[in-house]
Amino acid sequence: MAQHTVSETNPTYVTGADRYRIPFTGFLTPENPKFAVMEEFVLPEHRRPEGYGLAFLESEEHSLTYIGSVRQIEEYRAANTDGTAVLDPSQGVMYAFWPRDEGWDDYLPHNTWNPGGEGIVTEFDHPLGGKVVVYEYLQDDPQAGGRTPMIGLHCERCHPRPNLDYDKHRPNTRPHDRRWFARNARAHVRRHAEECRPADPRMAEAVQQIVNEKYGVNNPTVTWESGCATDGPCSQIRHLRARG
């Protein structure tokens, strides 16, 4: 995992990484029908009437857009057939984050950090033991007729419930989704004394008692921690770790 730097005033806000990868390169030229509106992302002093060569960089918690000449990116692509070419950033400029909004949302393909969309993105040590994990997984989507890439956040101490804590899971499309969840993980670690509360086993007992009485059964109580380890996020994460 990359080593990340954070803001001096906000330790949950990542400002950079010691290494990035380049999942995409591309071009923005006047032939693009949305060239004018997409070019608004570029500051006037960096504009190139002939068009731009683009490289999109990402780490687990940060992203950058490199803007250079068309020729430079053409040469980079030609030299990078084996994946070892190095991009020279001194020939252009770097912008924080990948562009969004009109034109760009259709231009940039969706991507995940792990090949296939399943795996650990990043994790942080919990002060009381265990980890706070940001992970990717695929969720069945009957309406779309396939599986949707998702990003999840799970604390191995308080075990938030996916069906109740909706802010712990969302579609996973680009670096800004993973950055936001990593930020939330950092915040959870820092605020653990206030917001990290293990589930009360008495609540599980009370719920199971009501269920047993309603349906005339005598099923034993299963705590959320046990259920999480069996078929919840802890189980998911365990399988993702085993896959490497």
Side-chain angles (χ1 to χ4, degrees), residues 74-185:
E74 287 176 338
E75 292 175 348
Y76 171 80
R77 281 185 169 186
N80 199 42
T81 54
D82 60 355
T84 61
V86 177
L87 182 71
D88 179 6
S90 68
Q91 296 185 39
V93 292
M94 287 285 191
Y95 281 51
F97 315 127
W98 291 8
R100 298 169 69 175
D101 300 322
E102 185 176 357
W104 291 108
D105 288 340
D106 295 328
Y107 178 88
L108 282 169
H110 291 180
N111 82 322
T112 60
W113 180 255
N114 292 279
E118 295 187 293
I120 306 298
V121 176
T122 189
E123 58 188 359
F124 305 91
D125 292 328
H126 194 291
L128 301 180
K131 303 281 187 179
V132 180
V133 186
V134 178
Y135 63 105
E136 297 175 315
Y137 65 100
L138 300 176
Q139 179 173 280
D140 291 336
D141 187 347
Q143 291 185 340
R147 306 182 76 193
T148 298
M150 301 289 289
I151 187 76
L153 166 63
H154 189 68
C155 173
E156 295 177 342
R157 295 221 30 114
C158 64
H159 303 282
R161 294 173 180 261
N163 59 334
L164 298 177
D165 296 281
Y166 298 109
D167 62 333
K168 300 296 189 293
H169 301 260
R170 66 177 290 176
N172 178 26
T173 61
R174 292 180 185 138
H176 57 258
D177 297 317
R178 300 183 284 277
R179 174 187 174 91
W180 179 250
F181 268 56
R183 176 204 173 280
N184 290 345

Side-chain angles (χ1 to χ4, degrees), residues 184-195:
N184 290 345
R186 288 177 179 270
H188 187 75
V189 169
R190 292 186 60 82
R191 296 197 298 259
H192 74 277
E194 295 81 27
E195 67 177 40

Side-chain angles (χ1 to χ4, degrees), residues 57-76:
L57 291 74
E58 66 175 348
S59 70
E60 297 91 337
E61 299 186 63
H62 200 245
S63 58
L64 298 168
T65 300
Y66 173 78
I67 300 175
S69 68
V70 170
R71 179 177 178 180
Q72 181 190 11
I73 297 303
E74 287 176 338
E75 292 175 348
Y76 171 80

Side-chain angles (χ1 to χ4, degrees), residues 30 41-42 74 111 124 138 151 162 175 180 207 218 221 230 232-233 241:
F41 174 73
V42 184
E74 287 176 338
N111 82 322
F124 305 91
L138 300 176
I151 187 76
W180 179 250
V207 171
N218 190 30
T221 298
T230 302
R241 292 194 196 284

Side-chain angles (χ1 to χ4, degrees), residues 4-16 61 179-180 182-184 186-187 190-191:
H4 290 87
T5 55
V6 298
S7 165
E8 294 181 359
T9 58
N10 182 357
T12 67
Y13 185 81
V14 170
T15 57
E61 299 186 63
R179 174 187 174 91
W180 179 250
R183 176 204 173 280
N184 290 345
R186 288 177 179 270
R190 292 186 60 82
R191 296 197 298 259

